Amino acid sequence: MFNKSFKIAAVVSGATMLALAQGPAQVAQVKSPAVTRIAENARASARLTVTIQPGFHIQSDHPKSDFLIPTALKLTPADGIAVERVVWPAPQEHKFSFSADPLSVFEGSVPVVVKLKETGQHLGSHVLKGTFRYQACSDQLCRPPVTVPVSLTVDVVAPHHG
Amino acid sequence: MEPNQNPPESARSRALNWIIVGVVVIGALLYLAKSRRDQVHNSVANAAVAGNAPLLIAPSIAGRAAPEWKLPDVDGKPVDFSQFKGHPVVIDFWASWCGPCKDEIPWWNQLQAKYKDQGLIIIGVSEDDSVNDVKNFLKTTPLDYTVVMDQQRLQSSYGMPEGLPTTFFIDRNGKIVSRVLGLEAQPELEHRVQQIL
């Protein structure tokens, strides 16, 4: 009934559509650098970028109310690479129609710095895995909190590597 | 009768063909559903930029019977939707972390008091993960109507909220009259309540 070429094309297109159908549209996305280099027994900074859809904001890492869900980036240490801290920029103070006081939020493009420390002799490429959690709102509505996976590729090089 | 020119397909080959067709059809349907959902998300984003929350009355929702449910209130006591049979009901999905939702709370309190004698029932369905968050919230912001904890149990019947607040207006016959996504002005909310009385 169906020749071989048709079957292959049908399976590929069906699988593609299934893959594309996965996952909701994200209001905020985090982009990691392609590679972050760190020397043995040294420190380095990985610079990530969080991009938020226009019209939306996400809570800052330290929102003003305990009821608000803070934005958080967490990475699990691995292979002698420790995460010393995550540095967020100063948030924006924004007054919304639904709040009596200004809220502490992030909007637009947000640079995030992850401070790393290499504590052992683990030359080579390593991947740190973690999560990015945020909760976004517009002036009119709020999206449910979201937790998405994040990964950071780190190359450990010998000291004084060129 | 002349013999067939081509050898007959085996049952296994026919089954494989139909499996392939099924994969393609299911994939296409899921892709279309996601595309529609993304359109809604994008329209929500665009509306947010324009400063207006879109009114979503999906033809597939208006006129349908509101799905039954049974959820715990903040004290753990079960609340059964069927106990409100014959009443006009507002189901408002909200959360303590939702600023626009909190804007509407005083209005819902007022409407519940104003139309109580006409049988109006307002139910706040919390999307908070923890009942303790809701209890703490209620200490500073009382909700003068029934509050229940969803914990994602209504998402299969009422649909995954694309955003909060999401509000369903249900008439005395248990039919959904309208659904609103996002913050709406008090006069409009009252008008929708009056439509179901």
Side-chain angles (χ1 to χ4, degrees), chain B residues 71-141:
Chain B
L71 296 173
D73 66 11
V74 293
D75 295 317
K77 296 174 187 173
V79 176
D80 195 329
F81 181 55
S82 63
Q83 73 191 66
F84 306 117
K85 191 175 181 181
H87 288 262
V89 177
V90 173
I91 296 180
D92 179 57
F93 288 81
W94 71 287
S96 65
W97 40 258
C98 169
C101 304
K102 288 185 262 192
D103 231 18
E104 289 187 338
I105 288 171
W107 304 339
W108 291 131
N109 286 340
Q110 291 167 14
L111 290 171
Q112 177 67 89
K114 184 174 180 179
Y115 295 106
K116 178 182 175 183
D117 291 342
Q118 295 188 53
L120 178 68
I121 302 291
I122 297 177
I123 301 168
V125 179
S126 170
E127 294 294 326
D128 286 86
D129 290 337
S130 166
V131 67
N132 288 331
D133 290 342
V134 177
K135 285 183 175 180
N136 288 333
F137 179 82
L138 293 176
K139 290 177 185 174
T140 56
T141 308

Side-chain angles (χ1 to χ4, degrees), chain B residues 11 15-16 20 29 33 41 43 52-53 56 64 80 89 104 113 121 136 138 149 156 164 172 175 182-183 187 192:
Chain B
L16 178 60
I20 292 170
L29 289 173
H41 284 303
S43 71
N52 297 306
L56 295 180
R64 285 178 61 183
D80 195 329
V89 177
E104 289 187 338
I121 302 291
N136 288 333
L138 293 176
M149 301 298 297
S156 61
L164 299 180
R172 296 177 187 274
K175 302 287 186 208
L183 175 67
R192 294 187 194 287

Side-chain angles (χ1 to χ4, degrees), chain B residues 12-23:
Chain B
R12 188 174 179 179
S13 179
R14 281 198 298 274
L16 178 60
N17 289 336
W18 286 113
I19 288 171
I20 292 170
V21 170
V23 167

Side-chain angles (χ1 to χ4, degrees), chain A residues 39-57:
Chain A
E40 284 182 296
N41 297 306
R43 287 181 167 84
S45 296
R47 302 180 190 282
L48 291 75
T49 303
V50 173
T51 303
I52 302 153
Q53 277 187 20
F56 284 89
H57 62 272

